[in-house]
Amino acid sequence: MTRVDVATIFNAGATMEIMKNILGDVKRLKRVVYENSISWKNTNIELILYDKSMWAKEKGKDAEIPPLLRNSQWLRAELRLLKNIGRRTGKDLNLSRLYNSRFYDNLCEMWLTSFQSIGMKGATTTTTKAPKGAENGLLYYLKKFPDSVDDMIETTSAEINGKQKKSRYRKRMFELKNLSFSADDGTEAKYKNFHSMLSTAKAVH
């Protein structure tokens, strides 16, 4: 067996265009964004999320999509095992395993955990301190003028003497930048909803 695909179509709670701005990286996989899809891939495995209805239109197969699934929030989540399939599924593959329902249950669980490993775009692994004092005013500026943030950080950090002080300043400015971009935009709620929808899809599948 040279490849295994595990996939389902589910309501992600948001369009593909929105998902591009919500879903970030997966450890050890390269993230690539296309017009109607996102892919995370290395030589052994690929995760791909795409708008099935847009794919059907591009292929001239729109009539094959049931009316219910033409809603742009219905996406296809596909796990592709490309190499070392036996090792990833626990044992060497043989014909008897392909007739074992436990084998398919494990594949479905692998599908779920793989897609749930996708991080939220812009999220960091460290806890950012809440802004205080003058930083609240700066945070307001960062939200109001997002296109000039990087230039502002570069310009102001150039005025600071001392390598360590400059490094600490830049680190804090970029923490505030991430706060300004993630606050109140509903990203975290959409990301959590995506996880919830995945679990529902796996249960139905």
Side-chain angles (χ1 to χ4, degrees), residues 21-25 119-124 178 182:
N21 296 315
I22 293 175
L23 301 180
D25 296 325
M120 186 172 73
K121 194 173 181 182
T124 59
N178 289 335
S182 63

Side-chain angles (χ1 to χ4, degrees), residues 191-204:
Y191 178 76
K192 289 180 178 178
N193 186 62
F194 172 73
H195 272 241
S196 175
M197 292 297 190
L198 283 171
S199 297
T200 302
K202 187 259 181 181
V204 172

Side-chain angles (χ1 to χ4, degrees), residues 43-162:
T43 56
N44 294 314
I45 188 173
E46 180 177 18
L47 306 177
I48 184 164
L49 185 72
Y50 63 96
D51 186 329
K52 187 69 173 180
S53 61
M54 292 300 297
W55 174 87
K57 288 178 182 178
E58 291 173 359
K59 300 294 183 179
K61 298 181 179 181
D62 191 36
E64 298 179 14
I65 302 295
L68 175 64
L69 302 185
R70 291 177 188 173
N71 183 314
S72 59
Q73 294 187 3
W74 285 88
L75 306 178
R76 181 176 173 88
E78 191 168 317
L79 164 66
R80 299 171 180 172
L81 302 181
L82 308 173
K83 289 176 66 176
N84 299 315
I85 297 171
R87 189 183 70 186
R88 288 189 168 274
T89 55
K91 295 179 181 179
D92 292 334
L93 288 177
N94 53 49
L95 193 59
S96 64
R97 290 200 71 205
L98 298 181
Y99 284 94
N100 189 329
S101 61
R102 183 70 178 271
F103 172 71
Y104 295 99
D105 289 340
N106 290 340
L107 284 178
C108 288
E109 190 63 35
M110 187 184 302
W111 172 90
L112 177 62
T113 56
S114 296
F115 275 94
Q116 287 187 334
S117 70
I118 301 171
M120 186 172 73
K121 194 173 181 182
T124 59
T125 56
T126 57
T127 302
T128 301
K129 294 185 294 184
K132 58 183 179 179
E135 288 184 341
N136 284 300
L138 180 58
L139 192 61
Y140 172 80
Y141 172 88
L142 296 179
K143 290 180 182 179
K144 195 170 182 64
F145 305 103
D147 294 337
S148 63
V149 170
D150 289 344
D151 288 341
M152 184 275 290
I153 293 175
E154 294 300 327
T155 301
T156 53
S157 63
E159 302 296 322
I160 297 175
N161 294 321

